[in-house]
Amino acid sequence: MAKSPVRATGVPHPYWPRDLSIPGYVVNDRSMHEILSFLFSVSGLFLLSTWVLTGRKWARDGRGQEFGVARRLAICWFAVCGFIHGVIEGWFSLYYDVIPSDQSFLSQLWKEYSKGDSRYVIADNFTVCMETVTAWFWGPLSVWTVFAFLANKPCRFVLQLIVSLGQLYGAVLYFYTEHRDGYSHSQMGHPLYFWFYFVFMNILWIVIPLVLILDAWRHLQQAQTHTDLAQKEKTN
């Protein structure tokens, strides 16, 4: 059950609901542009590096052919997930209780994001639990998935399915719990804080995992069909 926010203590802040109490809150000294530039630049660097890596001559799929565009993009997605889950969300899972007063760069990133969802600056129980699981399970498993595809490991589509299911489940609960709270932790309809921070930046973890779940399902189904046929031929 989510923590009930304590109401007004007179500390001014930009979060919703407006009478939310955030003891010890310190205003960011980094601008929104600095914070977003860092997030998207580093994410872009991981994406670009992985794209180049998957295009090397030694990078081949299970048939010994070069990775197609869709597969390369999927591997890039898991590389970016490894960074976001492991570093960004990992920071939150470790320092959620001091973020409102902390001026470390990643704490300021979370204070900026919290303008779209103030549950992150009040250490909401669901948010802390969900982000901790995401950081310590889906982060390392995302990195393992990248390695599994590059090394052509038999477990690659199993990992893709597990990570994508976990991401989808977490994102659905993330939206659903806020829906039940009446979207009270953001300025409803705000183009940046609500639609970009809260909706767009999180709905990616519904749309993309859904596509990857279907992709993994198809490949695992084909593998099982091939195994069944091979076993049938052996018994005949």
Side-chain angles (χ1 to χ4, degrees), residues 65-133:
Q65 299 176 352
E66 293 182 357
F67 288 120
V69 172
R71 184 59 55 210
R72 292 176 71 184
L73 287 173
I75 299 171
C76 290
W77 163 257
F78 284 112
V80 173
C81 286
F83 161 65
I84 293 176
H85 295 335
V87 178
I88 306 296
E89 291 166 297
W91 181 274
F92 178 81
S93 75
L94 293 173
Y95 302 109
Y96 61 86
D97 54 340
V98 299
I99 281 175
S101 60
D102 187 44
Q103 290 295 76
S104 300
F105 190 89
L106 291 181
S107 291
Q108 292 196 49
L109 183 153
W110 279 111
K111 284 191 281 185
E112 175 62 29
Y113 174 76
S114 295
K115 294 173 184 177
D117 186 350
S118 64
R119 290 180 291 179
Y120 285 88
V121 286
I122 59 172
D124 170 78
N125 281 336
F126 166 76
T127 308
V128 171
C129 294
M130 183 267 293
E131 293 292 0
T132 300
V133 170

Side-chain angles (χ1 to χ4, degrees), residues 3 22 27 56 60 68 77 122 130-131 144 151 156 178 186 190 211:
K3 221 192 276 195
I22 310 174
V27 178
R56 300 299 292 270
R60 292 289 185 272
W77 163 257
I122 59 172
M130 183 267 293
E131 293 292 0
W144 188 9
R156 59 193 184 276
E178 182 60 8
S186 183
H190 192 284
V211 173

Side-chain angles (χ1 to χ4, degrees), residues 4-235:
S4 296
V6 181
R7 299 298 171 180
T9 58
V11 180
H13 61 71
Y15 306 111
W16 288 72
R18 298 302 297 132
D19 59 350
L20 190 67
S21 172
I22 310 174
Y25 171 72
V26 177
V27 178
N28 281 354
D29 56 24
R30 300 274 188 173
S31 71
M32 174 193 72
H33 297 96
E34 286 181 272
I35 292 169
L36 293 184
S37 294
F38 164 79
L39 177 62
F40 292 115
S41 295
V42 177
S43 297
L45 183 62
F46 271 88
L47 191 153
L48 182 60
S49 300
T50 310
W51 179 265
V52 171
L53 200 61
T54 55
R56 300 299 292 270
K57 290 182 178 179
W58 51 264
R60 292 289 185 272
D61 63 15
R63 298 168 296 176
Q65 299 176 352
E66 293 182 357
F67 288 120
V69 172
R71 184 59 55 210
R72 292 176 71 184
L73 287 173
I75 299 171
C76 290
W77 163 257
F78 284 112
V80 173
C81 286
F83 161 65
I84 293 176
H85 295 335
V87 178
I88 306 296
E89 291 166 297
W91 181 274
F92 178 81
S93 75
L94 293 173
Y95 302 109
Y96 61 86
D97 54 340
V98 299
I99 281 175
S101 60
D102 187 44
Q103 290 295 76
S104 300
F105 190 89
L106 291 181
S107 291
Q108 292 196 49
L109 183 153
W110 279 111
K111 284 191 281 185
E112 175 62 29
Y113 174 76
S114 295
K115 294 173 184 177
D117 186 350
S118 64
R119 290 180 291 179
Y120 285 88
V121 286
I122 59 172
D124 170 78
N125 281 336
F126 166 76
T127 308
V128 171
C129 294
M130 183 267 293
E131 293 292 0
T132 300
V133 170
T134 299
W136 298 101
F137 285 87
W138 312 139
L141 284 176
S142 292
V143 176
W144 188 9
T145 303
V146 172
F147 169 75
F149 274 100
L150 291 176
N152 202 22
K153 296 293 184 182
C155 63
R156 59 193 184 276
F157 285 106
V158 175
L159 286 169
Q160 177 175 308
L161 181 62
I162 291 171
V163 174
S164 298
L165 279 170
Q167 291 173 330
L168 177 63
Y169 182 64
V172 168
L173 287 181
Y174 177 77
F175 280 115
Y176 190 46
T177 51
E178 182 60 8
H179 171 72
R180 286 184 57 82
D181 283 339
Y183 301 100
S184 60
H185 298 98
S186 183
Q187 185 178 354
M188 186 75 165
H190 192 284
L192 178 62
Y193 302 140
F194 182 79
W195 288 112
F196 186 68
Y197 284 10
F198 177 68
V199 177
F200 176 75
M201 291 180 71
N202 289 287
I203 206 166
L204 292 175
W205 272 271
I206 289 181
V207 176
I208 298 176
L210 265 175
V211 173
L212 293 173
I213 287 168
L214 294 174
D215 176 61
W217 179 290
R218 181 173 62 85
H219 281 85
L220 292 172
Q221 187 178 45
Q222 289 175 352
Q224 187 62 55
T225 300
H226 177 76
T227 301
D228 290 343
L229 287 173
Q231 289 294 332
K232 192 177 292 185
E233 288 176 0
K234 282 184 180 180
T235 57

